[in-house]
């Protein structure tokens, strides 16, 4: 049995990092961890090949080799997934699909032969059993959530790591909070489920033994969902693991209450974390109440961000505009917040209602949904909601925010605010060949040809004089800025 695992293409979005990846000659930011995990669950007698369309073409040879195509992905990959399914069907392949896109929208994929939905740990065994017995069903669903203690390590032998900017690992799924626009708790539950520290270390060993010496993304919904386990088991194990390792630094996603726990913060930095993505959403307390993001309420959010930055974590932030409680003053308020906080990577999106969320149900009842699905890209200025302030005003305000925060002048100013604040992290600050080449290419593209050239050299000079250790980071952020600006120019402004 030959199984071809196919990961559809990401369009050019904020998250694709397309324009930044060119500077470091990488094809994609992250490998398809879901498909690699599924691959590891297939019986040994199955031959497996992986084609990540973001790094390699899907060839006729691949298609004619395969008996089955296993396709996974998220909503933003919808169009590419459709095209791939059509090609596979034209070739006579049986198509098996799973992962977030298909789990959220199974009815939209009539032509898929077998929809193996929810967590594969729960549904794949029944499909494989039925396949063996010759009567596989159209759809497999699970009612509960799996125990991650039984999830096998991803099949890393199927990817060429050097084509990616970062590797990925998952420690937990689920989140203890309950924000009404978020489908994480619908998909993965409230009680964070964990892999053991032994499992995580074994996965890291595989990645390291395969030669990887760079960024590793802990793709958890909320890394700090179980603080006790982190403090007593995982972080001490990571600290020990890193002692004789080179080059590996971690980043993850967490909730803002990380700023309240100095011990946890200290352990994370010692364990090698140098950045964290946080859903800040809005400085408007009424909007936080509206969406039930209670953990962000009644706090000095800028101060919280500074605590994290001083401790040695770069904070990337997710922001949303378009809540019912937002008045037109929110646009300026948000811009001021972002500039002051020194959150360089600020992902601002319009409020969207993903199917399955409480927000979706509420707006559906009120007849305020403009569409039953979301685009899947939270930074493209689209929404399926009829906003209270009116779509035109919201879009004008949104364009103002994006134009402002990603203009060279304000972007580079923000980088400096951040670099001034950034404490000592375990960040890898060596100037290796890849970094040297990135500097060389950025000097030409941004420092000579780019309209940001003045800001670019001013930042590099300032960093060299005041924070020389952070020069590689300044270069990386300049390159990110170029990517964000290009995406804004093409899709939003
Ligand atoms: C890492 C990640 C990313 C990475 C992507 C890396 C990559 N190349 O895949 C980045 C940062 C780029 C990203 C971006 C976004 N993401 Co994202 N992301 C995640 C995250 C946190 C982890 C994904 C992961 O690797 N999980 C680990 C693997 C093991 O799990 P898995 O992929 O779900 O696979 C399991 C099952 O789904 C299933 N499965 C998966 N594939 C297949 C295939 C087959 C054939 C079968 C049978 C089963 C199967 O089996 C696996 C084992 O159980 C998830 C949340 C989560 N907990 O999964 C969100 C998630 C996938 N992202 C989501 C969203 C919405 C986004 C963004 C819009 C931003 C945002 N708001 O978060 C952007 C969109 C991208 C863009 N604009 O380009 C949603 C997807 C919703 C949907 N319906 O598609 C999720 C579920 C989070 C959420 N908010 O609910 N994301
Ligand atoms: S804290 Fe983040 S992951 Fe958890 S429910 Fe809220 S938005 Fe979703």
């Amino acid at each position: 049995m030959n199984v071809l695992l196919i990961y559809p293409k990401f369009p050019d979005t904020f998250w694709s990092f397309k324009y930044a990846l060119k500077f470091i000659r990488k094809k994609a930011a992250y490998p398809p961890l879901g498909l690699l995990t599924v691959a590891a669950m297939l019986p040994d007698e199955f031959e497996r090949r992986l084609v990540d369309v973001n790094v390699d073409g899907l060839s006729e040879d691949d298609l004619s080799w395969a008996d089955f195509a296993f396709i996974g992905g998220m909503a933003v990959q919808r169009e590419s997934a459709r095209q791939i399914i059509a090609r596979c069907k034209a070739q006579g392949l049986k198509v098996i699909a799973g992962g977030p896109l298909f789990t959220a929208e199974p009815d939209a994929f009539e032509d898929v032969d077998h929809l193996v939905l929810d967590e594969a740990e729960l549904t794949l065994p029944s499909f494989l059993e039925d396949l063996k017995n010759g009567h596989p069903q159209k759809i497999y669903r699970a009612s509960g959530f799996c125990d991650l203690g039984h999830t096998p390590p991803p099949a890393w032998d199927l990817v060429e790591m050097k084509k990616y900017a970062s590797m990925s690992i998952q420690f937990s799924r689920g989140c203890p909070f309950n924000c009404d626009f978020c489908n994480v708790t619908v998909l993965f539950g409230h009680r964070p489920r964990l892999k053991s520290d032994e499992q995580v270390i074994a996965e890291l060993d595989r990645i390291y033994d395969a030669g990887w010496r760079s960024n590793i993304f802990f793709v958890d919904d909320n890394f700090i969902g179980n603080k006790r386990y982190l403090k007593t088991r995982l972080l001490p194990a990571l600290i020990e693991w890193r002692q004789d390792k080179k080059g590996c630094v971690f980043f993850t996603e967490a909730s803002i209450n990380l700023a309240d726990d100095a011990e946890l913060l200290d352990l994370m930095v010692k364990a090698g974390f140098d950045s964290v993505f946080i859903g800040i959403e809005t400085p408007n307390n009424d909007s936080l109440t509206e969406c039930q993001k209670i953990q962000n309420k009644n706090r000095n959010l800028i101060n919280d961000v500074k605590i994290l930055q001083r401790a040695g974590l770069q904070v990337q932030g997710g922001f949303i505009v378009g809540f019912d409680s937002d008045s037109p003053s929110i646009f300026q308020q948000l811009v001021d917040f972002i500039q002051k906080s020194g959150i360089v990577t600020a992902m601002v999106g319009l409020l969207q209602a993903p199917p399955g969320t409480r927000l979706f149900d509420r707006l559906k009842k009120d007849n305020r949904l403009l569409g039953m699905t979301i685009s899947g890209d939270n930074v493209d200025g689209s929404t399926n909601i009829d906003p209270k302030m009116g779509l035109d005003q919201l879009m004008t305000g949104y364009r103002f925010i994006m134009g402002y925060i990603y203009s060279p002048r304000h972007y580079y100013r923000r980088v400096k605010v951040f670099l001034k604040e950034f404490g000592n992290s375990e960040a890898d600050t060596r100037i290796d060949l890849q970094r040297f080449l990135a500097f060389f290419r950025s000097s030409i593209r941004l420092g000579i040809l780019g309209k940001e050239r003045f800001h670019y050299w001013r930042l590099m000079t300032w960093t060299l004089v005041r924070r020389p250790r952070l020069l590689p980071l300044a270069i990386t952020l300049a390159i990110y800025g170029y990517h964000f600006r290009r995406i804004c120019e093409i899709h939003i402004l």
Side-chain angles (χ1 to χ4, degrees), residues 7 13 30 34 74-75 99 120-121 173 183 188 219 221 376-378:
Y7 199 49
T13 64
Y30 311 105
M74 58 178 102
E121 288 86 342
R173 291 183 200 161
N183 53 5
F188 305 109
V219 298
D221 306 305
D377 177 4
N378 64 333

Side-chain angles (χ1 to χ4, degrees), residues 297-446:
K297 273 178 60 181
N298 303 321
R299 319 176 59 110
N300 183 338
L301 288 164
I302 293 200
N303 197 38
D304 292 334
V305 171
K306 301 277 175 196
I307 291 173
L308 302 178
Q309 290 170 338
R310 274 180 223 133
L313 290 180
Q314 184 194 157
V315 178
Q316 305 186 344
F319 297 92
I320 297 176
V321 284
F323 292 105
D324 286 355
S325 312
D326 284 346
S327 72
S329 66
I330 188 64
F331 307 118
Q332 187 62 49
Q333 221 185 319
L334 190 59
V335 157
D336 293 342
F337 180 96
I338 291 171
Q339 289 302 113
K340 269 194 211 137
S341 67
I343 294 181
V344 177
T345 301
M347 302 288 173
V348 188
L350 302 187
L351 182 66
Q352 303 186 348
T357 58
R358 280 176 300 129
L359 178 66
F360 183 92
D361 295 341
R362 174 159 64 79
L363 295 179
K364 191 170 175 206
K365 218 168 84 203
D366 295 348
N367 219 4
R368 284 183 56 200
L369 286 179
L370 302 174
M372 290 297 144
T373 55
I374 52 172
S375 70
D377 177 4
N378 64 333
V379 199
D380 64 355
S382 73
T383 181
N384 61 342
I385 292 175
D386 182 10
K388 207 168 179 182
M389 75 167 74
L391 203 50
D392 286 348
Q393 187 161 30
L394 184 58
M395 273 315 290
T396 307
Y398 183 62
R399 287 197 195 97
F400 161 73
I401 295 174
M402 300 308 264
Y404 190 101
I405 64 173
Y406 289 111
S407 70
R409 188 179 141 96
H410 297 117
Y411 181 81
Y412 278 88
R413 192 175 282 173
R414 209 158 70 243
V415 174
K416 201 165 141 189
V417 171
F418 161 62
L419 293 180
K420 272 185 186 162
E421 205 74 52
F422 194 36
N424 276 337
S425 71
E426 297 278 311
D428 183 10
T429 50
R430 288 167 306 142
I431 308 259
D432 55 14
L433 182 65
Q434 178 170 304
R435 287 195 164 131
F436 177 77
L437 289 175
F439 179 53
F440 178 69
R441 289 177 196 122
S442 68
S443 303
I444 295 174
R445 187 71 198 80
L446 313 180

Side-chain angles (χ1 to χ4, degrees), residues 15-29:
W15 291 103
S16 71
F17 288 101
K18 175 178 164 179
Y19 299 100
L21 291 170
K22 288 186 177 155
F23 289 86
I24 50 169
R25 299 288 191 266
K26 299 287 179 185
K27 298 272 184 148

Side-chain angles (χ1 to χ4, degrees), residues 66 200 470 490:
V200 172
L470 299 182
I490 296 167

Side-chain angles (χ1 to χ4, degrees), residues 174-185 190 221-222 253-255 279 281 292-293 295-296:
C175 174
F177 295 110
N178 207 7
C179 313
D180 81 342
F181 55 79
C182 173
N183 53 5
V184 159
T185 46
H190 267 300
D221 306 305
N222 185 354
E253 306 181 331
S255 43
E281 322 308 2
Q292 292 169 35
K293 191 136 192 150
Q295 70 275 27
N296 289 30

